[in-house]
């Protein structure tokens, strides 16, 4: 009889613990079974009224039941503590879910513009190529038909390395000095020496000039260079490609024009202007956006491409300038200050 009641007590303890979800509930239930007025104590007290010969068996069953009930409580407490620990760690993390962009930061606006520009040109068959930011005077100037006395070569304009410096990974033509490239046009030369036409390449990269920094100039900035060399390429191809590009970037309403200009490495040379009806303060005004022209036959000759067989066009633009126009930014220094109030405005834009 006692045995059956003890088993019922164990089952009752098990059932009661199943409903417990906090440590304070657990304490209450524990008092009900193991406390001084609890069920088990009540049973133990009953030993007094049991015949002497039954006492050992009763004691044994009582100890067995006590052991089982204590184990049940211990087990339940461990589970409760585990739950408490998990709760204090916050929401469970599923590492297989894709990360949330706002927690991982966003791409810099210049990177976004660069990617947009590259993707437009990729769609019309251009391949992305890159070269070193350290360049030599021959690749940056001589091969681009830039005269010896051109002001860009001046030490006031270009950052030269000391004569004794060596950059084993940057090929020199002769023994000419190293410098930090002033434009990405030098990538045209490296590409044409490496690959044979037909060529369609687009080359993004960092450039350096000995400029004092103001709202529109920075000693360090970024450009994208384009080069297209094939049979019978004309200014019409140049205009067609650039019009397509500018419409893709600025929208269908963009108007463009080529304005005669001069660059040592293109003949004829042009500035590209664009006009957009809804561009804030700059609406409906002609704005200069990039330089371009037909690759000068002398440049082709310097990289061993026969100008009688091949013709081409080239263009170059500043990524900062394009980004400033796209987003109405009026100070180039915002790009380099890492101010979250500025950067976070671009975090959700593609
Ligand atoms: N390299 C020129 C600059 O930095 C930009 C440029 C103009 C690049 C005309 C070209 C070009 O490829 O054809 O101002």
């Amino acid at each position: 009889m006692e045995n059956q009641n003890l088993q019922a007590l164990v089952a009752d303890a098990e059932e009661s613990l199943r409903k417990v979800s906090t440590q304070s509930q657990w304490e209450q239930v524990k008092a009900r079974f193991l406390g001084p007025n609890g069920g088990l104590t009540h049973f133990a007290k009953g030993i007094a009224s049991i015949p002497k010969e039954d006492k050992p068996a009763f004691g044994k069953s009582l100890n067995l039941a006590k052991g089982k009930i204590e184990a049940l409580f211990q087990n339940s407490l461990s589970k409760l503590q585990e739950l408490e620990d998990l709760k204090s760690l916050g929401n469970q993390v599923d590492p297989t879910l894709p990360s949330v962009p706002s927690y991982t930061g966003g791409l810099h606006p210049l990177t976004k513009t660069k990617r947009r520009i590259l993707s437009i040109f990729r769609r019309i068959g251009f391949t992305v190529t890159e070269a070193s930011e350290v360049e030599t005077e021959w690749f940056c100037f001589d091969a681009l038909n830039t005269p010896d006395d051109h002001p860009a070569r001046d030490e006031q304009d270009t950052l030269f390395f000391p004569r004794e410096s060596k950059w084993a990974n940057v090929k020199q033509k002769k023994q000419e000095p190293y410098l930090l490239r002033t434009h990405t046009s030098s990538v045209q030369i490296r590409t044409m020496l490496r690959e044979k036409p037909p060529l369609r390449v687009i080359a993004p990269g960092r450039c350096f000039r000995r400029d004092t920094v103001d709202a529109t100039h920075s000693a360090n900035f970024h450009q994208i260079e384009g080069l297209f060399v094939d049979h019978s390429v004309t200014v019409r191809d140049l205009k067609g490609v650039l019009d397509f590009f500018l419409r893709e970037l600025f929208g269908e309403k963009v108007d463009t024009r080529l304005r005669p200009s001069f660059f040592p490495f293109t003949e004829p040379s042009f500035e590209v202007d664009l006009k957009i009806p809804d561009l804030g303060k700059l609406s409906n005004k002609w704005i200069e956006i990039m330089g371009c022209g037909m690759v000068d036959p002398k440049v082709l000759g310097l990289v061993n491409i026969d100008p009688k067989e091949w013709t081409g066009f080239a263009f170059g633009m500043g990524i900062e300038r394009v980004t400033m126009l796209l987003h109405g930014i009026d100070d180039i220094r915002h790009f380099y200050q890492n101010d979250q109030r500025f950067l976070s405005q671009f975090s959700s834009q593609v």
Side-chain angles (χ1 to χ4, degrees):
M1 177 68 190
E2 265 74 23
N3 241 341
Q4 270 179 9
N5 287 342
L6 275 171
Q7 273 173 19
L9 192 74
V10 175
D12 191 10
E14 199 170 4
E15 184 57 34
S16 305
L17 280 173
R18 212 168 280 144
K19 294 177 198 143
V20 159
S21 59
T22 66
Q23 288 200 31
S24 78
Q25 286 172 356
W26 182 88
E27 297 285 354
Q28 285 167 17
V29 178
K30 187 179 173 201
R32 239 172 64 212
F33 288 89
L34 294 168
N37 297 316
L40 204 71
T41 322
H42 178 75
F43 254 97
K45 281 181 187 156
I47 199 165
S49 56
I50 279 181
K52 203 171 164 207
E53 62 275 19
D54 290 341
K55 278 189 185 174
F58 178 77
K60 213 172 159 188
S61 322
L62 194 68
N63 277 339
L64 209 70
K66 188 173 178 226
K68 278 188 190 161
I69 292 177
E70 280 175 351
L72 283 171
F73 275 92
Q74 194 45 51
N75 212 340
S76 150
L77 186 65
S78 309
K79 281 196 185 133
L80 284 175
Q81 276 166 347
E82 218 170 276
L83 278 175
E84 291 282 305
D85 287 351
L86 277 177
K87 256 193 234 158
S88 71
L89 289 174
N91 288 340
Q92 277 201 38
V93 176
D94 179 351
T96 61
L97 287 176
S99 51
V100 182
S102 60
Y103 294 160
T104 51
L107 290 176
H108 192 278
L110 293 178
T111 307
K112 289 189 169 172
T113 305
K114 178 179 90 175
R115 291 190 179 183
R116 275 177 73 178
I117 296 174
L118 297 183
S119 89
I120 296 171
F121 281 106
R122 273 207 202 93
R123 273 162 41 209
I124 49 172
F126 281 72
T127 314
V128 178
T129 185
E130 284 178 309
S132 167
E133 291 162 12
V134 171
E135 202 32 283
T136 80
E137 194 170 6
W138 190 82
F139 286 88
C140 199
F141 296 123
D142 297 69
L144 286 159
N145 192 37
T146 311
D148 282 343
D149 58 355
H150 194 280
R153 294 195 191 226
D154 198 291
E155 289 196 8
Q156 302 307 310
D157 287 312
T158 297
L159 293 152
F160 283 91
F161 283 91
R163 284 277 358 178
E164 63 275 16
S165 27
K166 277 272 156 256
W167 290 83
N169 56 336
V170 182
K171 211 172 118 199
Q172 280 166 300
K173 183 72 177 176
K174 306 164 217 150
Q175 292 287 298
E176 75 276 13
Y178 290 101
L179 46 79
L180 285 174
R181 67 180 175 197
T182 57
H183 53 182
T184 40
S185 300
S186 52
V187 188
Q188 286 185 33
I189 303 302
R190 295 213 174 259
T191 307
M192 289 190 286
L193 283 175
R194 195 183 55 229
E195 293 167 37
K196 291 287 140 235
L199 290 169
R200 279 183 209 186
V201 292
I202 189 91
R206 191 187 284 263
C207 307
F208 306 82
R209 283 184 200 173
R210 205 160 180 156
D211 258 333
T212 39
V213 180
D214 64 21
T216 50
H217 294 87
S218 161
N220 165 209
F221 56 100
H222 302 79
Q223 285 191 339
I224 293 193
E225 188 79 15
L227 174 71
F228 188 119
V229 182
D230 211 324
H231 293 291
S232 328
V233 180
T234 68
V235 176
R236 263 164 53 154
D237 301 305
L238 164 65
K239 178 105 173 38
V241 165
L242 293 185
D243 279 356
F244 168 79
F245 159 64
L246 291 170
R247 263 201 293 277
E248 287 295 302
L249 193 63
F250 287 95
E252 283 300 317
K253 286 185 255 173
V254 72
D255 212 354
T256 65
R257 72 177 181 196
L258 294 183
R259 188 161 37 81
S261 183
F262 175 79
F263 297 101
F265 35 90
T266 42
E267 181 55 35
S269 304
F270 309 96
E271 297 286 352
V272 185
D273 294 339
L274 52 74
K275 194 166 73 169
I276 306 173
D278 44 7
L279 203 63
K281 278 188 277 183
L282 297 172
S283 300
N284 287 317
K285 295 201 166 80
W286 284 111
I287 311 155
E288 188 180 308
I289 182 81
M290 61 205 281
C292 66
M294 302 305 293
V295 181
D296 194 308
K298 274 194 224 140
V299 172
L300 294 176
L302 282 165
V303 291
N304 312 316
I305 292 178
D306 182 359
K308 285 195 230 63
E309 186 181 352
W310 304 98
T311 49
F313 63 80
F315 54 90
M317 71 193 100
I319 304 183
E320 278 83 349
R321 182 159 178 70
V322 173
T323 312
M324 286 166 90
L325 278 179
L326 276 173
H327 301 290
I329 298 163
D330 54 9
D331 194 322
I332 201 171
R333 289 167 290 197
H334 285 308
F335 292 127
Y336 317 117
Q337 286 162 342
N338 278 342
D339 185 333
Q340 274 303 315
R341 289 169 301 179
F342 173 74
L343 295 178
S344 61
Q345 295 179 55
F346 300 89
S347 58
S348 59
Q349 285 163 351
V350 190

